[in-house]
Amino acid sequence: MKRLSIFGRGQHWLPFFLSAGLSATPAFNAIQAAELDVYMNVESFSYSEPFSIKNTFDGWEGDFTPGKRQWTWNWLEAGVRVGHWGLGVVKRYDYDLRFSKDTARAIGLINNKEDLPTGRVYDVRLEANAINAEALRASYRSQVMGIHYEIGVSYLFADYMMDGELTGELTALAENDYEYRADVSYQYTEDVLFDRPLEDDATGEGFAIDVAFSGQLAPTLNYYMEIRDLVARIYWQDLPYTVAEATSKRRGFDDDGYVEVDPAIKGQEEFHRNYTQKLDPRTRFTLDWQFEDQMYATLDMRNQYAHTLYGVGSGYRWSAASVELLYWPESRSVSASADIHDWTVGVMVDDTDWQEFKTLMLNISYNHL
């Protein structure tokens, strides 16, 4: 069985160009006369239940525990604002894996060449959805009835994707041997399961809508809510896909006497003339309760790829700065953040040893308002 990794490839960047002739238009002259504010936002959130993030990069090798989720979500945006309007360029890379605990157990044992429990049957289920994309994002921010809001619309250009599932059974025949049968149905720009050679690189275009709201529920109770990919679609043409049954009929043994499998595939490998990829929404909701002049308690909820994490903690505010510390029980992580003038810096980790991180979140943003 080929080793699986949370992270695919898809490392191309889209250059964005502004036409030199634009400077002569009345619209551009108006922008030059207006006050121009720049902004930058870098967010990265990687989460893995069965393996450390480092071991995931190594191909699901090393220590592992039962788990059903892995993801990485990365967003880099830079742009300018004029009044209520903003225009920026975005680079994003998303990879979402959902699987049964049996899947993580089986792959962990096999990749580490550990003894298999003879006769054990594993329920193998794996779903994947991934993109690598660049975007132009236009945004509008204002307030109404004391509620501050922002609406963003992105036009996406994607050059890497995976969307599909694998289901089946794996049976341990001996401590060093196994067999499996799996039904596969997935779309891709790179065949990471069966190494299907592709002559052309498929590309996709689409859109994504995001919204954010903030305000007060009471004089001492503030809230913030953000939904990325509220509605998001990418439209692909001539996209490769595989619908097949994969079995372990072609098997051999390595120098250590552990089975090696070259999957036998029976089915079809074709191209979608048109295919629509749907992206899951991501939601963040925070509540801050000011209980002293400068101290406050905070609750942070993040729903990432249909999985919710909660953090609780407190913070301290000065006139032009604040610091915040939270604990996240499910991932046993600690996050710390600081706002200083126009800058925000935040980090979340679950271990003091970077090689053991299963949760890693980084955030750096600059907003000159």
Side-chain angles (χ1 to χ4, degrees):
M1 178 179 290
K2 187 174 180 180
R3 292 178 180 175
L4 300 178
S5 173
I6 182 176
F7 304 122
R9 298 180 186 175
Q11 299 298 325
H12 307 291
W13 290 77
L14 173 71
F16 296 98
F17 297 99
L18 294 178
S19 170
L22 184 63
S23 60
T25 66
F28 190 77
N29 291 334
I31 291 176
Q32 286 181 316
E35 182 178 352
L36 207 66
D37 296 320
V38 299
Y39 71 92
M40 179 270 294
N41 186 25
V42 179
E43 296 180 69
S44 178
F45 191 1
S46 297
Y47 176 79
S48 172
E49 290 180 349
F51 296 86
S52 71
I53 295 171
K54 178 183 181 299
N55 288 345
T56 296
F57 275 112
D58 293 337
W60 277 25
E61 291 183 341
D63 295 337
F64 64 94
T65 57
K68 299 191 293 184
R69 303 302 302 265
Q70 281 190 331
W71 72 63
T72 184
W73 177 65
N74 305 276
W75 178 288
L76 169 62
E77 180 181 6
V80 296
R81 291 194 180 96
V82 180
H84 296 288
W85 294 93
L87 181 64
V89 293
V90 176
K91 168 69 177 178
R92 58 180 293 180
Y93 181 64
D94 308 12
Y95 215 96
D96 173 30
L97 286 182
R98 310 178 192 189
F99 40 83
S100 64
K101 290 185 178 180
D102 270 6
T103 304
R105 288 191 186 99
I107 294 177
L109 291 171
I110 292 167
N111 285 355
N112 289 304
K113 296 184 179 181
E114 296 184 16
D115 290 345
L116 298 168
T118 303
R120 170 72 185 274
V121 178
Y122 294 88
D123 173 31
V124 177
R125 288 178 284 116
L126 174 66
E127 298 178 27
N129 193 299
I131 65 161
N132 181 76
E134 294 84 20
L136 291 171
R137 178 177 178 269
S139 59
Y140 179 84
R141 56 169 51 179
S142 188
Q143 62 176 317
V144 58
M145 299 178 62
I147 300 174
H148 298 265
Y149 67 89
E150 179 175 340
I151 301 172
V153 179
S154 299
Y155 190 84
L156 297 166
F157 307 84
D159 60 6
Y160 176 88
M161 74 88 71
M162 183 188 302
D163 185 19
E165 62 180 0
L166 179 152
T167 60
E169 287 186 349
L170 183 148
T171 303
L173 303 176
E175 292 180 350
N176 63 336
D177 193 9
Y178 64 90
E179 66 178 7
Y180 68 83
R181 184 204 62 78
D183 294 317
V184 178
S185 175
Y186 87 122
Q187 294 67 224
Y188 48 84
T189 53
E190 177 186 357
D191 190 354
V192 300
L193 288 180
F194 307 118
D195 289 326
R196 174 189 180 187
L198 303 175
E199 295 181 359
D200 300 317
D201 294 329
T203 58
E205 297 183 14
F207 70 95
I209 299 173
D210 59 87
V211 296
F213 304 92
S214 62
Q216 286 189 323
L217 297 177
T220 59
L221 190 62
N222 303 311
Y223 73 89
Y224 172 79
M225 184 176 70
E226 175 187 78
I227 306 176
R228 298 281 181 94
D229 295 338
L230 175 65
V231 181
R233 304 287 188 272
I234 300 179
Y235 303 98
W236 299 85
Q237 293 183 333
D238 300 321
L239 182 69
Y241 74 91
T242 295
V243 177
E245 179 185 65
T247 63
S248 55
K249 292 180 179 179
R250 299 183 301 196
R251 307 190 349 259
F253 293 86
D254 61 17
D255 295 337
D256 298 322
Y258 209 91
V259 69
E260 289 185 331
V261 175
D262 182 13
I265 307 169
K266 181 180 179 181
Q268 61 177 344
E269 294 178 332
E270 300 290 345
F271 291 84
H272 288 294
R273 183 175 180 182
N274 296 288
Y275 182 81
T276 301
Q277 183 183 16
K278 179 181 178 181
L279 306 182
D280 276 2
R282 290 183 296 274
T283 303
R284 183 184 180 189
F285 181 76
T286 65
L287 278 176
D288 292 345
W289 175 48
Q290 196 83 28
F291 60 88
E292 290 186 7
D293 288 343
Q294 294 171 299
M295 292 285 295
Y296 65 93
T298 186
L299 169 68
D300 195 336
M301 183 277 288
R302 296 172 186 259
N303 186 273
Q304 188 93 7
Y305 300 123
H307 187 79
T308 303
L309 298 174
Y310 296 92
V312 292
S314 63
Y316 190 90
R317 288 191 179 96
W318 293 272
S319 57
S322 67
V323 294
E324 192 171 277
L325 188 67
L326 284 81
Y327 177 69
W328 303 75
E330 181 176 347
S331 61
R332 298 180 181 179
S333 305
V334 175
S335 66
S337 63
D339 290 302
I340 304 175
H341 297 290
D342 299 325
W343 288 91
T344 299
V345 179
V347 62
M348 179 199 297
V349 295
D350 65 321
D351 202 289
T352 56
D353 183 355
W354 69 270
Q355 298 185 76
E356 301 299 324
F357 287 167
K358 289 186 174 181
T359 301
L360 175 61
M361 184 176 67
L362 300 171
N363 176 35
I364 302 173
S365 63
Y366 175 80
N367 288 277
H368 180 62
L369 302 177

